[in-house]
Amino acid sequence: MSHAWMPTSPCGPRCLTGGEPTVGAPRAALRLTGAVAVVLVCLLAVPVLPVIGRDRFARLVFRALLGAFGVRLSVTGGDALRAAQGRGALVATNHVSWLDIAAVNAVRPMRALAKRDIRAWPVLGRIVAAAGTVFVDRESLRSLPATMATLAETLREGAHVYACPEGTTWCGQGVGRFRPAMFQAALDGGVPVRPVALRFRMADGRETTAPAFIGEETILESVRRVARLRGLVLEVRVLDEIAPGRAADRRELAELTEAAINSALDRVVVVPAQRKRKVTRRTAQAA
């Protein structure tokens, strides 16, 4: 059952921009075929990942997946993310689309924190589980402490873990409140948080929400819409790390991360009124 603290987003079909350039039906079908081929290759490779090298293979797969959909990746600050070897970090991004995780892993392959439902997905569930994903049951608050303990241990062991603190997707025109629970794992693990800002644009520079996976639509509907876009650019901006000692508690750490990403995206912080002054002040200090 869902609960009052279940992450929700006000985004829906009305948030989708229109007028983006598109490709014809044959090319869109070819893109979908290419994406299916990438997924199948990935599935067949699961048993031999330890032999061929998980990180190198993952980077190639995610770049191939983006390429299959005609998505151009534009990365700023990627070297800082790739250079952090041998120590863990919680990599937190705003959450817009199913393309988000592909973009981050195309820069640097890493484990992820994902909702438990994904584990049951046909084909993809097995691939995600094989990648060392830490699963969270969003419908069970009782299981959250144990999941965060597992995440903290994973971070303490030196892993980079990708997570979406909003807990659900937004259209990209705004960023939702960052839930503080997962930031406790970063504090307990003694690792920094690495904010990463994601933005979708078309080749002509205008921002688009067409790749967003929002509202009541199915994943298949979103995939088809992305396959029809011509000239989609996914911008990945890797921001400065937030050291574990910089925040007094998980709530403050969540606010600092949220403010950093909003500042990078020039977004208005969508938070309850009692928190606006605190976040705005920190944003001004960071500037």
Side-chain angles (χ1 to χ4, degrees):
M1 291 180 62
S2 61
H3 50 75
W5 293 274
M6 180 75 75
T8 58
S9 166
C11 299
R14 69 187 183 281
C15 297
L16 296 176
T17 51
E20 290 86 356
T22 58
V23 300
R27 187 168 181 181
L30 187 62
R31 286 177 169 181
L32 292 171
T33 302
V36 170
V38 171
V39 172
L40 290 178
V41 168
C42 190
L43 180 64
L44 293 174
V46 166
V48 294
L49 282 180
V51 177
I52 62 180
R54 176 178 293 176
D55 286 359
R56 182 182 180 187
F57 180 75
R59 185 181 295 109
L60 291 173
V61 164
F62 284 113
R63 286 186 175 271
L65 185 62
L66 293 171
F69 282 102
V71 180
R72 181 169 67 86
L73 198 62
S74 174
V75 182
T76 302
D79 288 344
L81 186 59
R82 287 186 289 265
Q85 302 291 338
R87 62 180 177 84
L90 181 67
V91 178
T93 76
N94 54 309
H95 195 16
V96 180
S97 171
W98 47 271
L99 289 168
D100 299 350
I101 191 170
V104 172
N105 278 272
V107 178
R108 174 184 174 152
M110 63 186 71
R111 298 173 71 172
L113 179 69
K115 60 182 182 179
R116 188 187 62 175
D117 312 37
I118 295 177
R119 192 168 198 166
W121 285 6
V123 183
L124 287 177
R126 181 183 174 190
I127 296 173
V128 171
T133 298
V134 178
F135 292 100
V136 58
D137 185 356
R138 296 191 307 178
E139 297 182 0
S140 174
L141 290 175
R142 184 173 299 178
S143 66
L144 190 59
T147 302
M148 291 304 104
T150 299
L151 177 58
E153 183 60 28
T154 301
L155 294 168
R156 196 177 297 115
E157 291 172 352
H160 272 57
V161 180
Y162 164 82
C164 303
E166 292 163 290
T168 189
T169 51
W170 286 60
C171 67
Q173 293 179 326
V175 174
R177 176 187 173 189
F178 278 20
R179 305 294 174 126
M182 66 183 64
F183 292 94
Q184 186 63 49
L187 293 173
D188 292 345
V191 302
V193 173
R194 172 75 75 174
V196 176
L198 305 177
R199 189 199 314 259
F200 290 90
R201 293 189 183 275
M202 303 308 296
D204 60 7
R206 62 172 164 157
E207 199 162 345
T208 177
T209 62
F213 177 36
I214 50 178
E216 299 299 321
E217 70 177 350
T218 66
I219 183 68
L220 185 57
E221 290 171 327
S222 179
V223 167
R224 286 173 174 169
R225 187 168 61 250
V226 169
R228 290 193 297 266
L229 294 174
R230 180 192 297 274
L232 181 61
V233 180
L234 204 174
E235 296 181 350
V236 179
R237 185 174 176 185
V238 181
L239 307 176
D240 292 339
E241 286 184 344
I242 301 173
R246 188 174 161 193
D249 55 30
R250 64 187 184 184
R251 184 173 296 277
E252 184 177 10
L253 187 54
E255 290 173 348
L256 287 170
T257 308
E258 181 183 330
I261 291 176
N262 273 295
S263 178
L265 296 174
D266 299 319
R267 297 289 190 248
V268 174
V269 184
V270 183
V271 293
Q274 64 268 26
R275 295 177 60 238
K276 280 186 179 178
R277 183 178 300 174
K278 184 186 293 184
V279 175
T280 302
R281 184 170 65 249
R282 289 199 182 100
T283 304
Q285 289 172 349

